[in-house]
């Protein structure tokens, strides 16, 4: 059980990250990551929907007929998205207006539908819940990294307008990296999002290659060490 959960955690955060490996949910990923606050808002919404939909699909997986499996999954996801949308309208209305259509479009996010169909419908409630959490966190971390990169380059700030999520206590959280920064519009536009995501994917691939090479080197050293041992025989 522990080994399986460890694999689920590693898959969600790194090995099978929905944004960097599966390349799912790229439309909202690229569209709303102009600032960190937007990325966090969409990330939290995605995490809640992933956990809720995975848990529900897993709980009722044996009662759902195969012929109507996908429509039922869509209805389950839509129910959670509607709840998130209403909560955002009630408590973070300004952020809800900024994110706009990308909140209801979570229903069609392939990352969420894919986990419901490929994992939650075939695994236990615990495993499915952990999978939803880890996939959501992995997706959100990429959102935040890309949002921080684009906000810093485009506006010279970090964590601006965090009060849209955390209230008045977060009004002073903004970090100004460069005083009187003129801005770099390219980073705030869609092409900048594509370039930023490409750099993150390249960085992950570079790290994976480095880890793989280290493992191969360590294995080679072990093999060489084992082959060089001498056996002394006395008559």
């Amino acid at each position: 059980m522990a080994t399986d959960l460890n694999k689920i955690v590693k898959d969600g955060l790194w090995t099978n990250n929905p944004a960097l490996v599966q390349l799912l949910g790229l439309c909202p990923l690229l569209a709303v990551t102009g600032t960190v606050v937007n990325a966090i808002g969409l990330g939290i919404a995605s995490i809640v929907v992933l956990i809720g939909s995975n848990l529900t699909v897993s709980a009722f997986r044996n009662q759902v007929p195969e012929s109507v499996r996908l429509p039922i999954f869509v209805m389950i996801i839509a129910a959670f998205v509607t709840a998130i949308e209403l909560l955002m309208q009630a408590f973070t209305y300004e952020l809800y207006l900024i994110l706009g259509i990308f909140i209801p479009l979570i229903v069609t996010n392939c990352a969420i539908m894919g986990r419901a169909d490929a994992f939650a419908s075939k695994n236990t409630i615990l495993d499915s819940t952990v999978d939803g959490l880890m996939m959501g966190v992995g997706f959100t971390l990429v959102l935040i990294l890309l949002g921080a990169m684009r906000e810093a380059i485009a506006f010279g700030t970090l964590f601006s307008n965090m009060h849209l999520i955390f209230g008045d206590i977060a009004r002073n959280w903004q970090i100004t990296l460069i005083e009187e920064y003129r801005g770099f519009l390219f980073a705030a536009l869609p092409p900048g999002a594509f370039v930023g995501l490409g750099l993150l994917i390249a960085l992950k691939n570079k790290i994976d290659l480095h880890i793989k090479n280290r493992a191969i080197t360590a294995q080679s050293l072990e093999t060489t060490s084992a082959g060089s041992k001498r056996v002394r025989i006395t008559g």
Side-chain angles (χ1 to χ4, degrees), residues 22-89:
Q22 300 181 61
L23 299 181
L24 299 175
L26 294 186
C27 180
L29 175 72
L30 297 172
V32 306
T33 51
T35 60
V36 174
V37 67
N38 293 355
I40 293 176
L42 181 64
I44 293 174
S46 300
I47 290 173
V48 173
V49 174
L50 267 165
I51 294 174
S53 60
N54 269 21
L55 190 154
T56 306
V57 168
S58 178
F60 294 99
R61 66 186 186 279
N62 296 324
Q63 284 75 42
V64 176
E66 185 71 18
S67 58
V68 293
R69 186 180 79 256
L70 291 180
I72 289 178
F73 291 171
V74 171
M75 290 179 62
I76 291 171
I77 295 170
F80 282 102
V81 171
T82 301
I84 289 295
E85 194 172 2
L86 293 174
L87 286 172
M88 291 189 69
Q89 289 181 19

Side-chain angles (χ1 to χ4, degrees), residues 142-163:
V142 177
L143 282 169
I144 294 173
L145 284 174
L146 186 56
M149 183 189 304
R150 294 178 66 192
E151 181 180 348
I153 297 173
F155 309 111
T157 62
L158 281 176
F159 310 118
S160 61
N161 298 319
M162 294 296 286
H163 65 280

Side-chain angles (χ1 to χ4, degrees), residues 6 10 47 58 74 127 132 158 168 180 229-230:
N6 288 336
K10 186 177 179 182
I47 290 173
S58 178
V74 171
D127 287 350
L158 281 176
D168 291 337
E180 298 182 3
K229 290 181 179 178
R230 296 181 179 180

Side-chain angles (χ1 to χ4, degrees), residues 58-225:
S58 178
F60 294 99
R61 66 186 186 279
N62 296 324
Q63 284 75 42
V64 176
E66 185 71 18
S67 58
V68 293
R69 186 180 79 256
L70 291 180
I72 289 178
F73 291 171
V74 171
M75 290 179 62
I76 291 171
I77 295 170
F80 282 102
V81 171
T82 301
I84 289 295
E85 194 172 2
L86 293 174
L87 286 172
M88 291 189 69
Q89 289 181 19
F91 298 104
T92 58
Y93 186 68
E94 290 183 56
L95 182 62
Y96 170 77
L97 293 178
I98 293 172
L99 296 179
I101 191 63
F102 293 102
I103 294 300
L105 279 180
I106 292 176
V107 176
T108 60
N109 191 320
C110 295
I112 297 174
M113 176 59 73
R115 298 321 295 172
D117 185 40
F119 193 93
S121 63
K122 303 171 185 176
N123 290 275
T124 64
I125 293 177
L126 176 60
D127 287 350
S128 299
T129 303
V130 175
D131 177 77
L133 174 62
M134 291 300 105
M135 286 291 169
V137 171
F139 184 69
T140 301
L141 288 176
V142 177
L143 282 169
I144 294 173
L145 284 174
L146 186 56
M149 183 189 304
R150 294 178 66 192
E151 181 180 348
I153 297 173
F155 309 111
T157 62
L158 281 176
F159 310 118
S160 61
N161 298 319
M162 294 296 286
H163 65 280
L164 297 178
I165 296 178
F166 301 104
D168 291 337
I169 193 175
R171 286 190 180 275
N172 297 323
W173 288 8
Q174 177 174 317
I175 300 174
T176 301
L177 302 176
I178 304 174
E179 296 290 344
E180 298 182 3
Y181 185 58
R182 292 180 177 274
F184 185 57
L185 183 60
F186 178 81
L189 295 176
F194 276 101
V195 173
L197 180 62
L199 291 173
L200 291 178
I201 294 174
L203 177 61
K204 180 189 181 301
N205 291 341
K206 182 69 174 178
I207 294 173
D208 285 340
L209 181 61
H210 178 68
I211 293 173
K212 181 180 178 181
N213 290 337
R214 286 188 61 182
I216 293 174
T217 302
Q219 187 177 3
S220 300
L221 291 174
E222 289 178 5
T223 303
T224 303
S225 176

